[in-house]
Amino acid sequence: MPGGVNSPVRAFKSVGGQPIVIDSVKGSHMKDIDGNEYIDYVGSWGPAIIGHADDEVLAALAETMKKGTSFGAPCLLENVLAEMVISVVPSIEMVRFVNSGTEACMGVLRLARAFTGRQKVIKFEGCYHGHADAFLVKAGSGVATLGLPDSPGVPKAATSDTLTSPYNDIATVHSLFEANKGEIAAVILEPVVGNSGFIAPQPDFLNGLRKITKENDALLVFDEVMTGFRIAYGGAQEYFGITPDLTTLGKIIGGGLPVGAYGGRRDIMEMVAPAGPMYQAGTLSGNPLAMTAGIHTLKRLQEPGTYEYLDKITSELTQGILDAGKKTGHAICGGYISGMFGFFFTDGPVYNFEDAKKSDTTKFARFYRGMLEEGVYFAPSQFEAGFTSLAHSSGDIEQTISAAERVLRMYKLMLLALDWESFAGIFLDLVCFSSALVSFVHHPRTCHCL
Ligand SMILES: *Cc1c(COP(=O)(O)O)cnc(C)c1O
């Protein structure tokens, strides 16, 4: 397997060392094949919001499995999950299930183009919308972590209609619309960025995008593959009170099995085959096991107090790490919303990917490896958000914060030692040089030491 992994974000290329091979997961913890335990803040990159291997989800999966694993024909469970999604995500009146977030984003792009009869789309630097050709332009996630240019193998024609703007920069979006009048099909974004680290939208950004797209008859697409059911039960669109035309989902709605979805306004969604002419299909789409895991994950999230709990522990965690930075003299900035958080090794503030890149990634790598030793598993990249779950206890959070403090303190001591060493080095050099100078002055002919 290239790089030893089946998805580049799992590799430890940017932090050093070999990826850890996981044997099993439960609640907030992961265990590797050598028997080491970790408090996990990756949560399978988002899906594990109620905790890993939840007993109720596992029991429901076992029941569904007795009836078979795939039908290739409609099953009732698809209706149940569709109803759950439609009833809470403000923009979604109709939904199509697929097998991954990438597929959802591919589908939504084709749909936006089919509906508007236009070709161009605007995306934002550092946002990730899966690995389809058209979106591999200034993409976030693994592309950002590995510092890759736009990927080879993507034909120029596939990205020539992809326009980019810095995140939180409404002026650039305005000028792109000016320069491409009547040609822009859609603006797509992560309403809260998680794929170049955690970056929140500025107060008027989402509103501004809603306004510009409306004025220009373009569609607004929220890629809520990460934020859907995480920022709030109805996603970022419920949290911020801004309704896009189309939405993509994934991660949480599959409860740890492969699922994606796209949905939105009925008049747009009726373009999708077989209701309409826009083609998109899938052998395993709406798979009964995946639907089951999604349904039971969402059911758990509907219980009262879940998002309040996520908010509480994530706030404690984020504040604790920021405080640890202060106490130990490291510049760290960061933030969180509900069960999603992130921090950068820079003074900040971070409004876009350019700001995020000012982060000290060497320091992050040190911190990362230190935390791993302490039994804390973060995403192995400065440019990925972290996730908490209902299974994370106050004890987990406290343990993580005190580990962070120890790791940061050790790192500071090491830096001081290095400083002392280089200071001592310069001092010795000076001593040698002056003694050489003295010899030269006294014996200019025979002295070769200078
Ligand atoms: C994870 C993610 C995707 C891609 O989903 P996959 O299931 O990995 O294909 C797309 N968009 C966003 C915002 C994501 O976080």
Side-chain angles (χ1 to χ4, degrees):
M1 295 181 287
V5 290
N6 279 308
S7 185
V9 294
R10 298 174 197 172
F12 277 28
K13 207 166 174 177
S14 74
V15 291
Q18 297 297 319
I20 285 165
V21 181
I22 301 301
D23 179 61
S24 64
V25 287
K26 190 74 187 172
S28 59
H29 280 64
M30 302 209 292
K31 198 184 267 176
D32 71 17
I33 52 169
D34 300 318
N36 301 308
E37 279 217 32
Y38 305 90
I39 304 171
D40 174 31
Y41 292 102
V42 180
S44 193
W45 301 93
I49 190 167
I50 64 170
H52 287 292
D54 178 81
D55 287 338
E56 269 174 44
V57 173
L58 292 185
L61 279 171
E63 276 310 302
T64 299
M65 200 140 56
K66 287 182 192 155
K67 298 182 176 184
T69 57
S70 178
F71 307 152
C75 70
L76 274 180
L77 296 166
E78 294 167 72
N79 295 57
V80 177
L81 188 57
E83 177 58 38
M84 289 175 96
V85 168
I86 290 167
S87 64
V88 296
V89 182
S91 66
I92 299 187
E93 295 172 352
M94 289 182 104
V95 66
R96 163 63 55 89
F97 290 115
V98 292
N99 302 293
S100 69
T102 295
E103 264 190 76
C105 294
M106 287 167 71
V108 96
L109 175 66
R110 187 176 302 143
L111 177 57
R113 286 171 166 166
F115 182 78
T116 57
R118 299 171 178 180
Q119 300 285 312
K120 295 186 179 171
V121 287
I122 297 177
K123 80 173 280 289
F124 295 89
E125 290 162 18
C127 279
Y128 181 68
H129 305 297
H131 62 83
D133 283 353
F135 292 124
L136 284 185
V137 184
K138 301 193 175 160
S141 191
V143 183
T145 302
L146 301 170
L148 299 176
D150 303 336
S151 176
V154 174
K156 278 204 185 75
T159 56
S160 57
D161 287 325
T162 308
L163 314 173
T164 58
S165 160
Y167 198 78
N168 276 324
D169 180 354
I170 204 80
T172 300
V173 176
H174 261 293
S175 47
L176 286 173
F177 269 102
E178 273 308 302
N180 297 276
K181 270 214 173 311
E183 291 185 286
I184 293 171
V187 175
I188 186 168
L189 76 157
E190 295 178 55
V192 176
V193 183
N195 284 292
S196 26
F198 173 89
I199 303 175
Q202 286 304 98
D204 277 335
F205 183 57
L206 300 178
N207 238 330
L209 292 178
R210 181 62 284 185
K211 195 154 163 280
I212 299 179
T213 45
K214 251 197 190 124
E215 284 164 5
N216 289 276
D217 296 320
L219 301 177
L220 180 62
V221 184
F222 277 7
D223 179 354
E224 297 227 44
V225 170
M226 187 180 278
T227 54
F229 296 93
R230 177 161 290 278
I231 293 297
Y233 193 62
Q237 48 199 279
E238 177 198 290
Y239 186 88
F240 293 106
I242 292 169
T243 307
D245 302 295
L246 293 168
T247 298
T248 54
L249 295 169
K251 299 194 167 116
I252 289 173
I253 57 158
L257 273 88
V259 181
Y262 61 98
R265 266 165 47 194
R266 172 180 286 274
D267 61 324
I268 308 175
M269 287 301 289
E270 277 182 338
M271 289 289 292
V272 180
M278 190 217 90
Y279 196 70
Q280 183 273 308
T283 301
L284 293 173
S285 297
N287 173 273
L289 288 177
M291 296 294 109
T292 299
I295 291 164
H296 288 271
T297 299
L298 296 197
K299 275 198 179 145
R300 175 79 180 81
L301 286 174
Q302 286 170 352
E303 288 171 17
T306 48
Y307 289 89
E308 288 79 359
Y309 182 73
L310 287 174
D311 186 88
K312 177 180 160 290
I313 54 164
T314 318
S315 137
E316 285 167 10
L317 174 70
T318 313
Q319 198 51 52
I321 289 177
L322 293 181
D323 289 346
K326 266 200 206 108
K327 274 192 213 163
T328 54
H330 293 281
I332 303 180
C333 70
Y336 82 99
I337 300 179
S338 302
M340 180 174 168
F341 67 92
F343 43 88
F344 297 102
F345 281 93
T346 168
D347 283 320
V350 173
Y351 295 130
N352 56 41
F353 188 42
E354 277 308 306
D355 295 340
K357 279 194 290 191
K358 290 177 193 146
S359 213
D360 184 340
T361 50
T362 311
K363 194 182 267 193
F364 173 80
R366 285 274 178 179
F367 174 72
Y368 184 84
R369 303 204 42 87
M371 290 303 278
L372 208 57
E373 290 288 312
E374 292 271 356
V376 178
Y377 191 83
F378 287 121
S381 163
Q382 173 71 98
F383 304 113
E384 300 281 1
F387 304 108
T388 49
S389 79
L390 296 177
H392 284 81
S393 65
S394 299
D396 287 335
I397 304 296
E398 279 164 29
Q399 209 178 317
T400 306
I401 294 169
S402 59
E405 219 177 293
R406 275 193 299 277
V407 169
L408 289 170
R409 183 156 287 132
M410 276 307 289
Y411 186 57
K412 196 71 190 180
L413 286 175
M414 197 196 77
L415 287 180
L416 286 174
L418 280 178
D419 273 1
W420 173 244
E421 195 180 277
S422 49
F423 172 75
I426 290 169
F427 181 73
L428 284 178
D429 285 349
L430 274 175
V431 169
C432 291
F433 181 78
S434 17
S435 67
L437 200 63
V438 169
S439 324
F440 178 73
V441 169
H442 288 277
H443 317 281
R445 270 164 213 282
T446 54
C447 178
H448 302 290
C449 53
L450 276 181

